[in-house]
Amino acid sequence: MSRRLADAVRRHVLTMTSVGRSSHVGSALSCADILAVLYAEVLRVDPEQPHWADRDRFVMSKGHAGAALYAVLAERGFFDPAVLHRHYQNGSYLSGHVSHVGIPGVDLSTGSLGHGLPVGAGLAWRARQMGREWRTYVLLGDGECDEGSVWEAAMFAGHHELGLLVAVVDCNGLQSMGTTEDTLRLEPFAAKWESFGWEVAEVDGHDHEALAATMRVPREPGRARPRCVLARTVKGKGVSFMENQVLWHYRPPSPEELERALAEVGTG
């Protein structure tokens, strides 16, 4: 199910960004598999009850890839997929960066980088205080981890042993105008998270079985190390001429490029 969902998300993302002339198609494609596995196999959510008190929480901290989140929510039944064609249009709720306004299933508006993990840590802390067993998942970009607020939250979560918190980092190696290595070196990345008291797993971010195995954590309200999943991905994954090309951080596909891209999705 998650593989079909990922293919559907990619098709939606390509069409949405092309028609809406919006940015970040490469960022959305790199995390499509992560989102598909989360919503098909990991998260406890109910499209019929998007505000269900005991649902797992999900924060899309890399909010610029909002098209992918909207697509997965629509495919999972939170709202009509027909609405997706209004992405990035005047008067639409489906803004370029993630908004919770008018969109069932979105727990937090995001876009200004570095805010998702602090909120996620607060949600996990609240679950403990209430004696609840909901899990909180936060999807970050690797470039986003240049933000100091990410590490403040990582220190807080590690210190308080928020074991129901999972940070998934979409490590596609590219950000804004270049590589993460050239912009601000992150390595040794796993060691950094471990030094803050986190359990770390490094996986292929396009391997659905590996993602599902590493993103699941026990529903135990006691103290445990929070988990960080470093998902090694490819920006623009699924479309050959977009893969590992920083150009597609901002540039939307033209109608001709959309046709070429759609012909590739789901054929690998």
Side-chain angles (χ1 to χ4, degrees):
M1 178 181 176
S2 64
R3 296 185 187 281
R4 291 194 300 272
L5 180 56
D7 287 343
V9 168
R10 287 192 167 93
R11 286 191 291 270
H12 284 309
V13 162
L14 289 162
T15 302
M16 291 160 69
T17 54
S18 179
V19 173
R21 309 307 295 158
S22 59
S23 300
H24 309 303
V25 60
S27 303
L29 293 174
S30 73
C31 67
D33 293 299
I34 297 168
L35 288 171
V37 172
L38 278 170
Y39 277 88
E41 302 184 34
V42 177
L43 291 175
R44 181 173 68 184
V45 292
D46 183 355
E48 299 297 322
Q49 302 179 76
H51 301 295
W52 176 33
D54 288 323
R55 72 189 184 283
D56 288 336
R57 272 58 170 174
F58 175 72
V59 176
M60 182 79 165
S61 195
K62 51 172 287 179
H64 52 285
L69 178 59
Y70 299 150
V72 78
L73 290 173
E75 283 291 325
R76 286 284 283 112
F78 283 87
F79 58 89
D80 188 347
V83 176
L84 295 175
H85 81 282
R86 294 287 298 154
H87 173 65
Y88 215 61
Q89 303 297 304
N90 286 338
S92 172
Y93 289 122
L94 301 181
S95 55
H97 288 71
V98 172
S99 173
H100 74 282
V101 177
I103 306 173
V106 177
D107 285 320
L108 182 72
S109 296
T110 56
S112 182
L113 296 175
H115 292 175
L117 191 60
V119 173
L123 289 168
W125 173 261
R126 181 58 174 161
R128 173 182 293 170
Q129 298 305 303
M130 296 175 66
R132 307 291 273 273
E133 295 181 358
W134 78 63
R135 300 174 299 186
T136 299
Y137 288 81
V138 181
L139 178 58
L140 306 98
D142 48 0
E144 179 181 3
C145 293
D146 295 349
E147 299 281 354
S149 52
V150 171
W151 300 104
E152 292 178 46
M155 181 165 55
F156 175 89
H159 173 80
H160 291 287
E161 298 180 291
L162 300 179
L164 293 179
L165 175 64
V166 180
V168 184
V169 186
D170 179 2
C171 298
N172 61 39
L174 295 172
Q175 65 184 99
S176 189
M177 299 294 183
T179 67
T180 54
E181 177 70 15
D182 289 341
T183 304
L184 196 61
R185 188 170 58 252
L186 294 168
E187 300 296 344
F189 204 22
K192 286 183 171 70
W193 287 94
E194 289 170 344
S195 73
F196 280 78
W198 290 61
E199 176 186 50
V200 180
E202 296 191 60
V203 299
D204 178 343
H206 305 298
D207 182 329
H208 287 221
E209 289 74 20
L211 284 168
T214 55
M215 291 194 296
R216 291 192 184 102
V217 295
R219 293 187 185 281
E220 298 172 358
R223 290 177 175 270
R225 286 189 296 168
R227 181 174 299 178
C228 175
V229 177
L230 299 180
R232 304 295 180 176
T233 62
V234 176
K235 200 179 191 86
K237 178 67 175 179
V239 179
S240 61
F241 61 88
M242 293 183 179
E243 289 188 354
N244 205 34
Q245 300 295 316
V246 75
L247 171 69
W248 299 101
H249 189 79
Y250 291 116
R251 186 174 179 274
S254 68
E256 295 75 21
E257 289 164 337
L258 172 62
E259 184 176 357
R260 288 173 55 202
L262 289 174
E264 292 189 23
V265 172
T267 62

